Amino acid sequence: MSGDTKMKKLMAKMKNYGIKKKLSVMTRVMIAFMLVLGLGAMFGAWELNHQTKVLHDDWIYANNIIAELDYKTAELRMEQYAHVISTTASELKEHEANIAAITEEVNALITEYEATIDTEIDRQYFEAAKAAWATYLNVTGEEFYAHSRYMELEEANAIMLGEAYEAFADFQENFDILLEFNHAGAEEASNYATQMYIFVVVIVIVLVVLAV
């Protein structure tokens, strides 16, 4: 075999080795790229799940408590008005039992809502609402029920329509603000979750295309 022939074979061998090496490097780069995309998809799926949990456990849950508070406090006011116009001892006793039970439910809901607080703004309006509720219970205390039991309607109604109403309105106003605050938070979490969903879908599509 001539020297030229040996040289040509050697060059061809080196060329093939170079191609194989390049293919090996490209394969590794592709695998690494797909691995990064896979990790990105895993992170996106985790973040999507997290934001969905935040949306349900924080914002929606908190607003459900506010809705229940709104219903229960209105129910309490109705029972108190019914107490004012009651004419028999049995009616008074029944309404007082209902008022005591509803008050306990409202207090439990307030405590339940407090456990959801995680921002200073939330805390600020909650404390204001809590203080207003304490004022309401104080104003509609024993003095109010004494007027009601003795059919002193003018005095009892003056309390319900005066100081009690002001405290009740203050309580509702602060929780209405919290309701709007939670709505905004829920919308933000929902939008972010949608973005994460789109991110995951795009990555999955890219992975499918690369696999094909």
Side-chain angles (χ1 to χ4, degrees):
M1 184 180 293
S2 66
D4 289 343
T5 303
K6 288 182 179 180
M7 183 61 68
K8 288 179 180 179
K9 286 185 176 181
L10 180 60
M11 292 295 292
K13 186 176 181 180
M14 291 178 66
K15 186 177 181 180
N16 290 336
Y17 176 75
I19 293 173
K20 289 179 181 179
K21 188 174 182 180
K22 288 179 181 178
L23 287 174
S24 176
V25 171
M26 289 179 64
T27 300
R28 291 177 183 177
V29 170
M30 185 64 70
I31 292 173
F33 181 64
M34 293 179 70
L35 180 61
V36 170
L37 287 177
L39 291 173
M42 289 175 62
F43 169 76
W46 177 85
E47 188 66 18
L48 175 61
N49 179 68
H50 173 68
Q51 288 301 318
T52 301
K53 189 174 185 297
V54 167
L55 180 63
H56 180 270
D57 293 352
D58 290 354
W59 307 113
I60 295 177
Y61 176 63
N63 276 354
N64 285 342
I65 295 175
I66 292 175
E68 187 68 14
L69 273 170
D70 187 55
Y71 172 77
K72 285 297 179 182
T73 51
E75 185 180 18
L76 177 67
R77 292 274 289 177
M78 290 175 63
E79 284 290 341
Q80 288 173 324
Y81 276 118
H83 187 280
V84 171
I85 62 174
S86 294
T87 57
T88 66
S90 60
E91 288 178 343
L92 290 170
K93 186 176 180 180
E94 179 184 354
H95 290 305
E96 286 174 10
N98 292 340
I99 288 166
I102 296 169
T103 300
E104 285 187 11
E105 290 182 70
V106 172
N107 288 335
L109 287 168
I110 290 174
T111 300
E112 192 175 351
Y113 185 89
E114 187 171 13
T116 70
I117 295 174
D118 57 6
T119 68
E120 189 58 36
I121 295 177
D122 207 356
R123 169 67 62 181
Q124 176 185 341
Y125 287 107
F126 170 78
E127 291 297 338
K130 189 176 179 180
W133 176 246
T135 299
Y136 183 83
L137 292 181
N138 183 57
V139 170
T140 57
E142 189 54 39
E143 181 183 354
F144 163 74
Y145 290 110
H147 288 309
S148 181
R149 291 187 193 102
Y150 289 104
M151 299 295 292
E152 296 172 350
L153 302 184
E154 186 176 344
E155 290 82 353
N157 281 325
I159 293 173
M160 287 295 288
L161 298 174
E163 291 181 82
Y165 176 77
E166 289 176 6
F168 183 74
D170 190 22
F171 172 82
Q172 284 195 316
E173 181 181 358
N174 281 285
F175 265 111
D176 284 344
I177 293 172
L178 288 173
L179 187 67
E180 291 301 317
F181 176 76
N182 291 331
H183 272 311
E187 186 175 352
E188 183 179 349
S190 177
N191 290 338
Y192 186 70
T194 300
Q195 292 172 5
M196 284 297 100
Y197 173 76
I198 295 172
F199 173 72
V200 171
V201 169
V202 169
I203 289 180
V204 170
I205 292 173
V206 171
L207 288 171
V208 170
V209 170
L210 290 175
V212 173

